[in-house]
Amino acid sequence: MHRRRTAATLAGAAVLAALTAPAAVAATPAPTGPPGPFTTCGTPGAPGFLTTRACIEVNGLQVRLFGQAYPTDPAWVPQNVGFKLSGTAPGLPPGPALYTTVLVPAGGTSVGEILTTATCGSSVTANFSVDNGGWPPSTATVTVTVPC
């Protein structure tokens, strides 16, 4: 009888230890597939009335080119400004540049959008500039390699 109690006590202790011990964490493999979205903006263009930045957002093989424009003068009054956005990628036919006029508020704004698909490992370049007669140029460029 004493052996049965000892065995039962040991079995109970083992169950209790198993219930209170931290669970083993199973290793899970890293997800596969295209990388998630990321955005890269280049160095600002030469300051003029506005500072410009060219940006590229990549989501898998989908690519979005756009620009950012920020006034350099704290007393900036919101006004319409003309811009030019263009891009290149090896293996893709050159697309037409996007010319657009946008109301630029004191806090700056995102400008334009060119959507395309790029091949894995290719380099995509965005060019963004002020296209407003009589204004000093403020051209910005950025290049991103589309990850595999």
Side-chain angles (χ1 to χ4, degrees):
M1 179 96 153
H2 177 40
R3 286 185 184 183
R4 277 191 234 160
R5 267 194 238 157
T6 304
T9 303
L10 290 175
V15 168
L16 183 59
L19 291 174
T20 59
V25 178
T28 56
T32 58
F38 67 90
T39 300
T40 303
C41 294
T43 305
F49 295 111
L50 294 172
T51 297
T52 58
R53 290 180 70 162
C55 300
I56 299 175
E57 177 184 326
V58 178
N59 188 0
L61 300 178
Q62 302 299 312
V63 179
R64 181 174 79 99
L65 287 61
F66 63 100
Q68 295 177 338
Y70 298 95
T72 55
D73 183 352
W76 174 268
V77 176
Q79 56 189 292
N80 287 313
V81 180
F83 296 96
K84 176 184 175 186
L85 175 65
S86 62
T88 59
L92 294 177
L98 171 67
Y99 291 89
T100 187
T101 300
V102 175
L103 178 64
V104 179
T109 189
S110 181
V111 178
E113 179 175 84
I114 296 175
L115 301 173
T116 189
T117 301
T119 57
C120 158
S122 66
S123 292
V124 178
T125 300
N127 300 297
F128 179 65
S129 61
V130 172
D131 185 42
N132 221 47
W135 286 35
S138 180
T139 301
T141 301
V142 65
T143 300
V144 170
T145 300
V146 176
C148 296

